[in-house]
Amino acid sequence: MQKYIKAIIMIVVILALMVGGQVAPLAVADQLNLSENAAIITMTITYPIIVIGGGYLLNRFLFHQRLPLIRKWHFQWWPIAYAILADVLIYLVSWVVRTGFHSSVTTMNDWWLQLTFTVISAPLVEEYTFRGYIFGALDSIFNQTATIWITSFIFGLIHLSSLGKAAWYNAVFLMVAYTAMGMFFTLVAVAAQSMWASFTAHVVNNLLIYVVGIWAAVSNSSSMLWRSLTGTLVGMGITAFLIYRFIIRRKNDTQPK
């Protein structure tokens, strides 16, 4: 029971740090009357420090364990290939159902600030949070299959904030689609036994999404929302299945009994 309580504390606190890590720097910047660009720069730098640093201290205090998917980084091509495949499937399905493609490089005067946060800072924080601290906490009490599913579900849950102005009933579809995305990243990390593999895939995924700008449709139309999320569900779901079938399952089958 004590491990379950510790896991719940870890999940609740680390998710709170994710929210606070974005809100607090912007609030401080607003109090100091900083410009929008200065506020974004501040958040981009402090967000990883708050979340990753806070999670590290919390993990040391609660579990005193080495996180199972934290390994020394080394470059691998296959997470990039799978991320590209997933996004190609997303765009293909979204195009078939006639989702509009829009540029997302319109939300800031200096596009490179948003690019830095979207492609580097946010993936780093999310990978440490989900494939690092949350996966490690759950792995201490569940088997790997359950840990993968619960981690993916929590990843989908936290992304309900992306619902924006869309109707509330789209929340279920949004949850399923982002759970599929969480499953993809989690299986990449498990297949490589390294969070840095999923970080690589996450960076490539966010870069492609940013460049194509398909998610600009989400805040504009609920009909575009379900079309875009159909692409996410199908694209990430198929690619996650391929990783499980041809990498993880093959590894398990070849291991000595």
Side-chain angles (χ1 to χ4, degrees):
M1 179 62 71
Q2 188 177 14
K3 285 187 176 181
Y4 285 91
I5 295 175
K6 288 182 177 180
I8 292 173
I9 293 173
M10 169 63 81
I11 293 170
V12 171
V13 173
I14 197 69
L15 293 180
L17 286 174
M18 284 188 69
V19 176
Q22 295 185 62
V23 174
L26 294 178
V28 171
D30 183 61
Q31 289 295 319
L32 296 176
N33 294 319
L34 299 179
S35 66
E36 179 185 3
N37 288 349
I40 297 301
I41 292 173
T42 301
M43 182 177 68
T44 300
I45 295 173
T46 59
Y47 182 43
I49 295 174
I50 293 172
V51 180
I52 297 173
Y56 173 81
L57 295 175
L58 191 61
N59 180 66
R60 288 290 300 272
F61 176 75
L62 291 175
F63 295 100
H64 311 285
Q65 67 177 6
R66 181 183 177 87
L67 298 174
L69 298 181
I70 301 295
R71 297 289 186 272
K72 185 177 180 180
W73 182 86
H74 66 278
F75 182 76
Q76 300 179 81
W77 277 106
W78 71 265
I80 297 177
Y82 274 99
I84 293 174
L85 173 62
D87 282 293
V88 167
L89 291 174
I90 289 174
Y91 302 145
L92 178 61
V93 173
S94 299
W95 176 77
V96 169
V97 294
R98 298 182 182 180
T99 297
F101 288 80
H102 303 278
S103 172
S104 60
V105 192
T106 56
T107 57
M108 287 187 194
N109 294 327
D110 293 311
W111 59 269
W112 61 273
L113 291 175
Q114 185 183 17
L115 180 66
T116 302
F117 181 81
T118 303
V119 177
I120 298 177
S121 183
L124 182 63
V125 168
E126 290 187 1
E127 290 309 310
Y128 260 101
T129 296
F130 295 100
R131 266 60 66 179
Y133 302 126
I134 290 179
F135 188 97
L138 295 172
D139 189 60
S140 67
I141 54 179
F142 297 110
N143 61 41
Q144 189 177 81
T145 300
T147 299
I148 291 171
W149 275 102
I150 298 173
T151 300
S152 304
F153 176 81
I154 297 173
F155 182 88
L157 188 65
I158 198 66
H159 281 85
L160 284 177
S161 59
S162 301
L163 193 62
K165 301 176 183 178
W168 64 268
Y169 50 78
N170 286 301
V172 174
F173 200 19
L174 183 74
M175 180 72 196
V176 174
Y178 274 99
T179 297
M181 182 179 286
M183 179 67 70
F184 167 69
F185 291 134
T186 305
L187 289 178
V188 169
V190 171
Q193 283 299 295
S194 174
M195 180 204 77
W196 296 109
S198 57
F199 172 71
T200 302
H202 205 150
V203 166
V204 173
N205 172 75
N206 282 19
L207 178 62
L208 292 174
I209 288 176
Y210 182 86
V211 171
V212 177
I214 192 172
W215 299 122
V218 172
S219 61
N220 296 329
S221 169
S222 59
S223 64
M224 286 186 178
L225 172 64
W226 74 261
R227 292 170 185 172
S228 296
L229 294 180
T230 299
T232 304
L233 175 59
V234 174
M236 292 295 185
I238 290 175
T239 313
F241 171 78
L242 292 175
I243 293 172
Y244 174 78
R245 177 65 181 83
F246 293 105
I247 299 181
I248 296 178
R249 189 173 175 181
R250 181 175 296 177
K251 282 185 177 181
N252 293 337
D253 291 342
T254 55
Q255 288 178 351
K257 302 293 185 181

